Amino acid sequence: MSDYLIGDIQGCFDSLQKLLKKVAFSSDKDQLFFLGDVVNRGNKSLETLRFIKDLSENAQMVLGNHDFHLLACALGDKTPSNQDTFSDILNAKDKVALIDFLLQQPLVIEHKNALLLHAGVPPNWDKNTLLSQSFTVEKHLKKSDAEGFINQMYGNSPHTWHLDLEEMEACRYTINACMRMRFCRADGTLEFEHKMGENTAPIGFKAWFLHEHRILTNTDIFFGHWSTLSAINTPHIYPMDHGCVWGQALGAQLSAIRFEDRQVFSVGC
Ligand SMILES: [Mn+2]
């Protein structure tokens, strides 16, 4: 009986199957947790999403920015860009069921005192703030007017969190923090231009988990999204996007971490 937490698949279905074989995944015994960005960029988004949906009770996932972008293209007023590779889902006969499945997925999973999410937690947020803000977003995604909500969720502002933000603004900040954040200021001010490693922070910014007075420093946090991070020695911080979609030439891997003993299993992509 093991729990495996798996980083960004991005439609790399074959790598996922290779990884599950490596850990000898058994749907009778084991649980899988996907850390978001299960679709897009890779070549088998449809197979990946169907597979995760069909795992049913054996799997949970959090939404990543690519999963959210798929929702916006399927339901909202966004159109896929040239780089998007999820047209197989948009044209699938089970599209409605797959999109409905994604709408039911959370931004954050609390698993035995650990937190699982796609990008990160603002340094000035405690667990209650994170869980209550993400719950508000999840509540809107499950409503019948999810498309109206999603259409209001695109954009970089507000960059900074305030208690007095109006609800839609607070939801936009929450989505941007939980699904897109890499660098931020100590007060949670977000920045979206820089995508390289933790040592490339713009002036005044740090990787979200490197802020000295971060509130959740004693909570294990498992996340994806940031494939350009180097080996991280920050206690309780587990970056799991090992860049699968970028291919073998870059040493890219798809990885799972076994929750019980923190052993990491990886396959080349
Ligand atoms: Mn991402």
Side-chain angles (χ1 to χ4, degrees), residues 8 37 64-66 118 179 225:
D8 306 29
D37 283 359
N65 53 307
H66 285 282
H118 182 62
M179 294 188 201
H225 186 60

Side-chain angles (χ1 to χ4, degrees), residues 115 117 119-126 130 177 181 208-209 214 216 221:
L115 293 169
L117 80 175
V121 184
N124 55 340
W125 274 16
D126 58 17
L130 173 70
M181 175 170 65
W208 62 266
F209 52 83
R214 193 165 61 85
L216 286 175
I221 300 178

Side-chain angles (χ1 to χ4, degrees), residues 18 104 107 110 120 129 188 265:
K18 211 158 64 166
Q104 304 303 315
L107 273 63
E110 191 179 14
T129 306
F265 302 84

Side-chain angles (χ1 to χ4, degrees), residues 2 8 28 32 34 50 53 65 75 78 88 103 107 110 125 147 154 177 185 207 228 230 232 236 265 269:
S2 295
D8 306 29
D28 297 332
L32 302 180
F34 297 100
R50 276 182 183 156
K53 176 173 173 286
N65 53 307
L75 299 171
K78 292 288 161 193
D88 49 358
L103 288 172
L107 273 63
E110 191 179 14
W125 274 16
E147 61 264 44
Y154 263 70
R185 294 189 195 272
T228 49
S230 47
I232 296 298
H236 303 288
F265 302 84
C269 297

Side-chain angles (χ1 to χ4, degrees), residues 22-144:
K22 183 164 188 172
V23 302
F25 168 66
S26 158
S27 58
D28 297 332
K29 298 185 305 199
D30 302 327
Q31 283 279 326
L32 302 180
F33 295 81
F34 297 100
L35 296 169
D37 283 359
V38 300
V39 299
N40 209 9
R41 299 283 193 259
N43 61 355
K44 292 187 178 176
S45 289
L46 177 60
E47 287 90 338
T48 305
L49 188 55
R50 276 182 183 156
F51 178 78
I52 292 172
K53 176 173 173 286
D54 291 344
L55 281 168
S56 186
E57 301 296 304
N58 290 111
Q60 298 181 53
M61 66 169 281
V62 295
L63 292 171
N65 53 307
H66 285 282
D67 312 310
F68 194 78
H69 181 55
L70 167 61
L71 286 175
C73 291
L75 299 171
D77 54 14
K78 292 288 161 193
T79 43
S81 78
N82 291 337
Q83 292 175 309
D84 292 330
T85 61
F86 47 53
S87 59
D88 49 358
I89 296 174
L90 297 175
N91 296 321
K93 59 184 189 317
D94 51 347
K95 169 191 164 186
V96 172
L98 292 167
I99 296 302
D100 280 348
F101 168 76
L102 274 187
L103 288 172
Q104 304 303 315
Q105 304 311 312
L107 273 63
V108 180
I109 294 172
E110 191 179 14
H111 182 59
K112 299 173 182 165
N113 290 324
L115 293 169
L116 285 53
L117 80 175
H118 182 62
V121 184
N124 55 340
W125 274 16
D126 58 17
K127 194 184 277 190
N128 281 340
T129 306
L130 173 70
L131 294 177
S132 67
Q133 291 304 315
S134 57
F135 180 79
T136 303
V137 172
E138 291 157 15
K139 184 186 71 183
H140 282 288
L141 289 175
K142 288 173 184 166
K143 283 186 183 166
S144 57

